[in-house]
Structure formats: structure tokens, C-alpha cells
Amino acid sequence: MTAPLDRPPLAPAGVAFVLSGLGYHAAQRFRERLAPLGLAPRHVGVLTALASAEGMSQHALGQHLEIPPSRMVALVDELEARGLVERRRNPADRRAYALALTDAGRRVLEQVAALADEHERQLCAALDAEERETLLRLLRRIAAQQGLPQRVHPSLAASDRAGPPPAC
Amino acid sequence: MTAPLDRPPLAPAGVAFVLSGLGYHAAQRFRERLAPLGLAPRHVGVLTALASAEGMSQHALGQHLEIPPSRMVALVDELEARGLVERRRNPADRRAYALALTDAGRRVLEQVAALADEHERQLCAALDAEERETLLRLLRRIAAQQGLPQRVHPSLAASDRAGPPPAC
DNA sequence: TATTGTTATACTCTATAACTATA
DNA sequence: TATAGTTATAGAGTATAACAATA
């Protein structure tokens, strides 16, 4: 038996709500840390994927990350303008580029890794090492069951977000 | 001592990354469940807050949720157009409205609650009841330490997100 | 005829600033 | 002079579709 309240009985926030709010918060803080490098989280997504797949074409990388071609153009333009990525012509197929990280790109990725470590530490400050491990294990179980890829952030596939023109 | 890899040694995703990805995922799935009602998550944020603060002015509600006035206009316009919220003139101060949920608004909130329950269940399908409790406890500890409000979703204050015009 | 990358265009969401009316 | 709400405008980010070059 529950006691009557003087306000409408709001259900306490569940896992989904807290997860969503905390995930948003984590992403924003990461975005702020990244800003001084002139990068947004989506750029890190591309750089990181590229680090594991040098020489991949723009199209293939976009497919891996679920980023449509037209968006890849702008993204790679930006990274190339910052000197972090190179578009090399592929002699075997002159339609496609072979994308490559530059040395500057690799250095920036190291900076990003350091900054991500600090981000992780700050975000988890409330938990001890064992609790962090427990949390990570539970989160990974959910992520796996929900079909999320391990290293690709789902927000990169922004197609389902704000809603594009409704496919006239 | 770690064995050499044939690929660049990518650090495994930490709490921050998994949290952010899973939070995004949870938000998207919630958005999809909401779509048939003609609502977006932001509308639910406003409706929920209003349920605990009937008669509040548009401005005050906006401050509580950290939503700027001009955005509140559009948001309340949309909710009013759907017949979920009423703008009542406040005789004591004719500049301000007293916002109120309509009966339809209350019914929709009940539908949303049911749908959120199902969402919660589906999202946590990988965990048993005890694990869910553990997860929720850990997430709440982090949320509290990070200064997040308990019932207000941080994405409602979208000011820090994509970046508005840079305050010329 | 299919594929890689590009451009043109349109749409959503947002914030800032100027404005109206009340106080 | 300050406050509640509104409107006008501009910018960031995205997707679709038409297009060019190459296969």
C-alpha cells in the first residue's frame, strides 16, 4: 500500500530515461573537450574508423559507419582541410579514393585518446574501480542484446534523428 | 605485457562511449514509439513537467526546463494544436499565460507512460530484475555526481548542442 | 548499366534579437 | 524600466535526387 501524495504520482525515472539523459550528458561533455581541437564527435568517429581501415574508400567507410555518401563528402572535406586525412587516388579504380590518415591525423587521434581518458575518469568519478567494471559489464550486455556495434557510435547514422525531407 | 596486434591497438570502448551510444539508442527507440502519437520526446518533457506544475507560466516552465522563450512558443503551439495543453489567461498578470493540461493531455500522458514501460522492458531485456536494480543504482550515482536533475532530460536544454549562430 | 564521389536543394531544429503588450 | 510572450531571421546539420566520371 502506497501513501497518497499531494502531487500526481510521477513514476521514478527508469533505466531508459537515466541512460538517455546520462548518455546525452556524456556526449556533450566530450564535445566540449573536443572543441579546442576544432573537431566534433562525428569527426572522431571517422578518424577512429579510418585508423583501423587505412586505404578504405569514402564509400566503404561511409557504409561501415552508416553515413550516406553526401555527408561523407563534407566530413572528409573538413578532415582534409584540417590536414588530418588525405584523399589518394586509387590507380586500380579511378572512381574511388583511398583514404589515409596523415601523421597529423595520427597525432590528433593520440590527443583525442588522452582527452577521452580524462573524460572517462571525470564521468565515472562517483564509482570505484569495481563498480565501474560492473557498470561496463551490464551496459555491454544491453548494448549487445540491442544489436549495437561495439566501436561505431549509433549517432553517426543520423538518418533517424531529426527527420530529413520525407522522401517526396 | 601485451601481445602485439596486427592492427593498431584500439582501446576498448569505455563507460563514456558505451553510455553515450546506448543513451542515443534508447532515445531513438523512444522517439519511434512516440511517433504514432504525433509527439517527439521534447513534447513529452514539457507535458510531464506541466503535469507537476499546472498553471505555471510559459516562461517559468521554460526556465525549469532550460528552454528559451522562443522555443517554448513553438512547443506550446504544437501541444495546443494537438489539444493537449491550454493557454489560459492569468487575470492577475495579463502578460503571462497559465498553462494547463487538457483531459486529452492527461490521457496522452497515460499512453506515454504505458509506452515507456514497454520501452523500458524491451531495453533491459538482457538483464534480470536484480541486475536492473544494480544498473539503475550505479547510473543514478553518476547522474547525481554529475549534477544532472532527476526528472528533466538534459537534451531539452539544447543550447549547447549543434551550435546556434555565434552571437554576432 | 552500375558505382564513386559531388553538387543542388530542401527541410528540421535551434538561438538571437527586435518587437508588442502589459506591469 | 522590466517582464511575458511573439515574430523574423539566420545558421548548423542532415537527406534526397540529379549529375559526372569511371568501370
Side-chain angles (χ1 to χ4, degrees):
Chain A
M1 47 202 203
T2 55
L5 302 172
D6 59 343
R7 289 221 191 167
L10 283 178
V15 169
F17 184 85
V18 179
L19 206 49
S20 164
L22 210 38
Y24 182 84
H25 171 81
Q28 288 309 120
R29 299 296 80 76
F30 186 58
R31 181 186 301 277
E32 289 168 2
R33 287 183 191 272
L34 235 32
L37 299 182
L39 295 174
R42 62 184 179 279
H43 298 122
V44 174
V46 173
L47 289 175
T48 304
L50 197 49
S52 299
E54 293 240 37
M56 196 176 246
S57 75
Q58 218 175 273
H59 192 82
L61 191 57
Q63 286 220 307
H64 177 58
L65 300 172
E66 296 191 77
I67 297 176
S70 69
R71 194 143 68 98
M72 282 302 292
V73 172
L75 236 29
V76 176
D77 279 355
E78 287 156 8
L79 292 170
E80 200 176 33
R82 303 201 77 75
L84 308 179
V85 159
E86 262 182 22
R87 284 175 164 118
R88 298 186 184 147
R89 275 293 170 193
N90 178 350
D93 183 344
R94 283 167 43 222
R95 294 172 303 181
Y97 293 125
L99 295 179
L101 281 181
T102 62
D103 287 340
R106 264 178 284 272
R107 279 195 298 275
V108 161
L109 265 185
E110 280 171 32
Q111 289 184 274
V112 169
L115 162 165
D117 281 351
E118 178 55 27
H119 174 54
E120 177 87 359
R121 193 172 318 128
Q122 201 281 326
L123 187 73
C124 296
L127 307 183
D128 66 32
E130 189 186 332
E131 289 167 331
R132 268 180 229 197
E133 201 44 55
T134 302
L135 175 59
L136 195 48
R137 190 174 43 79
L138 294 172
L139 291 176
R140 284 195 180 130
R141 283 249 299 285
I142 294 185
Q145 189 272 331
Q146 294 287 306
L148 296 190
Q150 298 219 356
R151 305 193 115 89
V152 177
H153 198 288
S155 75
L156 287 175
S159 46
D160 48 355
R161 192 157 56 204
C168 140
Chain B
M1 48 204 206
T2 56
L5 301 172
D6 60 342
R7 288 221 191 170
L10 282 179
V15 169
F17 184 84
V18 179
L19 205 50
S20 164
L22 210 39
Y24 183 84
H25 172 80
Q28 288 310 118
R29 301 295 79 78
F30 187 57
R31 181 186 302 276
E32 288 168 4
R33 285 182 190 274
L34 236 30
L37 299 182
L39 295 175
R42 60 183 181 279
H43 298 123
V44 174
V46 172
L47 288 175
T48 305
L50 197 50
S52 299
E54 292 241 38
M56 198 177 246
S57 75
Q58 218 174 275
H59 192 82
L61 191 58
Q63 287 221 306
H64 177 58
L65 301 173
E66 297 192 72
I67 296 176
S70 69
R71 193 143 67 101
M72 283 301 293
V73 172
L75 237 27
V76 175
D77 278 355
E78 287 156 9
L79 292 170
E80 199 175 34
R82 301 202 79 76
L84 308 179
V85 160
E86 261 182 22
R87 284 175 164 119
R88 297 186 185 146
R89 275 295 171 192
N90 179 352
D93 182 345
R94 283 168 42 223
R95 294 172 304 182
Y97 293 126
L99 296 179
L101 281 179
T102 63
D103 287 341
R106 263 177 286 272
R107 280 194 298 274
V108 161
L109 264 184
E110 279 170 33
Q111 289 184 272
V112 169
L115 161 166
D117 281 350
E118 180 55 27
H119 174 55
E120 178 87 0
R121 193 172 318 128
Q122 201 280 326
L123 187 71
C124 295
L127 307 184
D128 65 32
E130 189 186 332
E131 289 167 329
R132 268 181 228 198
E133 201 43 57
T134 302
L135 175 59
L136 194 48
R137 190 173 44 79
L138 294 172
L139 290 176
R140 284 195 179 131
R141 284 250 299 285
I142 294 186
Q145 190 271 332
Q146 294 286 308
L148 296 188
Q150 299 218 355
R151 305 195 116 88
V152 176
H153 198 288
S155 75
L156 287 174
S159 45
D160 49 355
R161 190 158 57 203
C168 140

